[in-house]
């Protein structure tokens, strides 16, 4: 359930928000439509029909859906690998845009707290 809201945010962060609707549909709509037709309709019915006995319209046993299930496991594994690769490749985006701002604000706060890091620290020590 958390994937769909994160997909919108990730799409906006990675590709910008100017064309977020088009990019979102490219990442969400197209794969869902293609997978719905290819996997749910064609693959499942082909495997089911291949394991029905001649003259029968029903298939009995786990062989009716085993190949479909194993195909889905393989596709989900590939999707997991693709997600990890995307996370590793987009790490640069987050380091340069998000974490860079955090590091700068942290160094500004540290220089305010530490008198040695302050630009005026030399002036105060020369007065003494």
């Amino acid at each position: 359930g958390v994937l769909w809201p994160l997909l919108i945010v990730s799409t906006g962060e990675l590709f910008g928000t100017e064309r977020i609707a088009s990019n979102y549909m490219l990442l969400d709509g197209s794969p869902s439509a293609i997978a719905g037709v290819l996997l749910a309709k064609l693959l499942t019915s082909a495997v089911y029909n291949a394991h029905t006995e001649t003259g029968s319209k029903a298939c009995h046993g786990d062989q009716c859906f085993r190949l479909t299930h194993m195909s889905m496991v393989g596709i989900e594994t590939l999707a997991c690998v693709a997600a990890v690769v995307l996370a590793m490749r987009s790490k640069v985006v987050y380091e340069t845009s998000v974490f860079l701002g955090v590091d700068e604000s942290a160094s500004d706060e540290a220089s305010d707290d530490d008198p040695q890091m302050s630009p005026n620290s030399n002036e105060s020590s020369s007065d003494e």
Side-chain angles (χ1 to χ4, degrees):
V2 74
L3 174 70
W4 306 119
L6 286 179
L7 186 59
I8 295 170
V9 173
S10 299
T11 302
E13 287 181 349
L14 292 174
F15 303 112
T17 56
E18 184 178 334
R19 297 190 165 268
I20 194 167
S22 300
N23 291 333
Y24 175 72
M25 284 312 296
L26 181 68
L27 293 176
D28 177 42
S30 300
S32 297
I34 292 169
V37 170
L38 292 178
L39 298 175
K41 252 338 213 172
L42 300 176
L43 179 66
T44 305
S45 63
V47 170
Y48 186 85
N49 290 334
H51 290 95
T52 57
E53 295 179 15
T54 307
S56 176
K57 292 186 177 185
C59 183
H60 301 286
D62 65 344
Q63 75 274 5
C64 302
F65 299 103
R66 181 180 293 144
L67 181 60
T68 304
H69 179 72
M70 296 309 292
S71 299
M72 289 302 300
V73 168
I75 290 169
E76 291 294 327
T77 302
L78 287 174
C80 185
V81 169
V84 169
V85 168
L86 179 64
M88 298 302 287
R89 291 189 67 174
S90 63
K91 182 179 178 183
V92 175
V93 173
Y94 293 108
E95 285 177 347
T96 58
S97 64
V98 177
F99 296 125
L100 184 64
V102 171
D103 290 341
E104 288 175 355
S105 65
S107 66
D108 290 343
E109 290 175 7
S111 66
D112 291 342
D113 294 339
D114 188 6
Q116 293 178 349
M117 297 294 287
S118 175
N120 296 331
S121 64
N122 292 338
E123 293 174 8
S124 62
S125 63
S126 65
D127 291 339
E128 293 175 3

